[in-house]
Amino acid sequence: MPDHIVDTSAGPVTVTATEPVPGLHVYEIPAEVSTDSPFRWILAHHEGPALASFETEAAATTGAAKVAPLVDWTRNAMTTANLIGPGGMQELLSLLRDAGGQHPNA
């Protein structure tokens, strides 16, 4: 399982993640982060940027599978964003919402 670095107000924290599809990580946020949020599971690009938060690991994994076909997620974050482009962002957000995803800071 890959490590993933999460930026928090207390500084970077390393967590263990899964990689349900190449280039996308799913991990649970540390217990001391956003303690009141039920959306504890994050779907993120392998370089760090979070795409969405979910209530369960299964939902985050489903979200990864839904967005996997949009672009080669193993590329760097900026290239990936450029490949998705402005038009693809609406599709990305729709797929994440359909899987139960919320804004990553929910």
Side-chain angles (χ1 to χ4, degrees), residues 88-101:
M89 288 304 292
Q90 286 303 107
E91 183 179 3
L92 172 69
L93 295 173
S94 178
L95 291 169
L96 291 170
R97 275 192 221 103
D98 288 349

Side-chain angles (χ1 to χ4, degrees), residues 5-101:
I5 299 190
V6 180
D7 290 321
T8 72
S9 58
V13 176
T14 301
V15 296
T16 300
T18 61
E19 191 170 38
V21 299
L24 292 176
H25 289 178
V26 169
Y27 61 90
E28 187 173 17
I29 59 174
E32 66 275 6
V33 176
S34 300
T35 56
D36 293 333
S37 177
F39 299 94
R40 311 291 310 159
W41 291 91
I42 305 296
L43 171 60
H45 186 275
H46 68 96
E47 286 189 342
L51 301 176
S53 60
F54 296 84
E55 290 190 84
T56 66
E57 182 179 15
T61 300
T62 297
K66 286 183 175 278
V67 302
L70 294 180
V71 69
D72 178 359
W73 295 100
T74 64
R75 309 279 302 266
N76 72 45
M78 187 57 93
T79 299
T80 300
N82 287 334
L83 289 172
I84 291 173
M89 288 304 292
Q90 286 303 107
E91 183 179 3
L92 172 69
L93 295 173
S94 178
L95 291 169
L96 291 170
R97 275 192 221 103
D98 288 349

